[in-house]
Amino acid sequence: MTSLPLPQLSSAPTPHPHACPCLSKTLLSHIASSVPPFPSPPVILSIGSGTGLPEALLASHHRYLQIYGVELSSVTNLYLRPSQLLLPSPLLRGAGGREPLPDLEDPELDLPAFGTWLWVYLRDRRLLSAWIGRWGGGDVRRMVFVGPLYEDVRGDEVLEAWGSEVRRWEGADGGVGEGEFVSIWERG
């Protein structure tokens, strides 16, 4: 499959039909600057990458980052190269609370080491808790959340036990639309 061409971005947050958040160069800079330099090169796993547009734009604008995506639902990737996609095992899915959570204790289920996890429009906090419980103790040092304010991750007990919020932007300051936020968490 051939990836679609990437749209041009400005510093102003702009909606796009293939992405949940408004997108901008500012948003990409905030995400890229939050990624720790280790492992080298820095590696990001986008969990629930959907069409792959924010991830492909991030890889295009910040070429030193290695970005991989795993989609947890039936959304079709339109922008990431096949080499950037991890195959979504049924064990990884938990679609918006409508399906049972995966058995993350299954010894057959394993992921490569990623220093940063990116969550764009997290829909099911139970999935976040399950992923932290299974893989959050390894090489993961940072988590980046982009989403609507009504899905704010602050107050999530499992996340707060894992680490703390070290940076936060809302609206245009974060390079996202009004009513959206960007939050950077670091493992404690």
Side-chain angles (χ1 to χ4, degrees):
M1 180 179 127
T2 305
S3 298
L4 292 177
L6 296 174
Q8 295 296 312
L9 294 182
S10 70
S11 57
T14 305
H16 192 280
H18 292 153
C20 291
C22 289
L23 300 174
S24 68
K25 289 181 181 179
T26 304
L27 170 62
L28 301 181
S29 294
H30 286 326
I31 294 171
S33 67
S34 72
V35 178
F38 52 87
S40 183
V43 184
I44 299 172
L45 175 63
S46 178
I47 303 162
S49 57
T51 65
L53 180 56
E55 296 80 2
L57 285 165
L58 188 59
S60 172
H61 286 258
H62 300 277
R63 296 189 183 275
Y64 63 94
L65 296 173
Q66 287 190 2
I67 301 169
Y68 297 88
V70 60
E71 178 46 43
L72 308 177
S73 71
S74 60
V75 173
T76 301
N77 168 64
L78 300 173
Y79 295 95
L80 289 175
R81 294 185 315 271
S83 62
Q84 292 177 279
L85 290 172
L86 300 178
L87 294 178
S89 160
L91 294 172
L92 298 177
R93 296 182 178 170
R98 292 183 299 275
E99 296 176 10
L101 280 176
D103 177 9
L104 297 180
E105 298 305 317
D106 184 329
E108 298 295 315
L109 186 61
D110 200 8
L111 288 178
F114 293 94
T116 302
W117 287 354
L118 174 62
W119 300 85
V120 178
Y121 270 61
L122 171 66
R123 298 281 198 252
D124 187 348
R125 282 201 193 187
R126 297 177 315 145
L127 196 57
L128 171 63
S129 297
W131 274 64
I132 289 173
R134 175 69 165 94
W135 295 291
D139 293 325
V140 181
R141 299 280 177 236
R142 296 251 170 93
M143 291 192 205
V144 180
F145 296 89
V146 179
L149 289 170
Y150 65 83
E151 288 182 2
D152 196 343
V153 294
R154 290 186 292 187
D156 185 283
E157 293 176 13
V158 173
L159 180 60
E160 289 185 346
W162 178 85
S164 59
E165 186 177 57
V166 295
R167 191 71 204 256
R168 180 182 183 83
W169 301 272
E170 294 181 9
D173 289 341
V176 291
E178 290 305 313
E180 293 179 321
F181 73 96
V182 180
S183 178
I184 312 300
W185 287 70
E186 191 169 272
R187 193 164 95 189

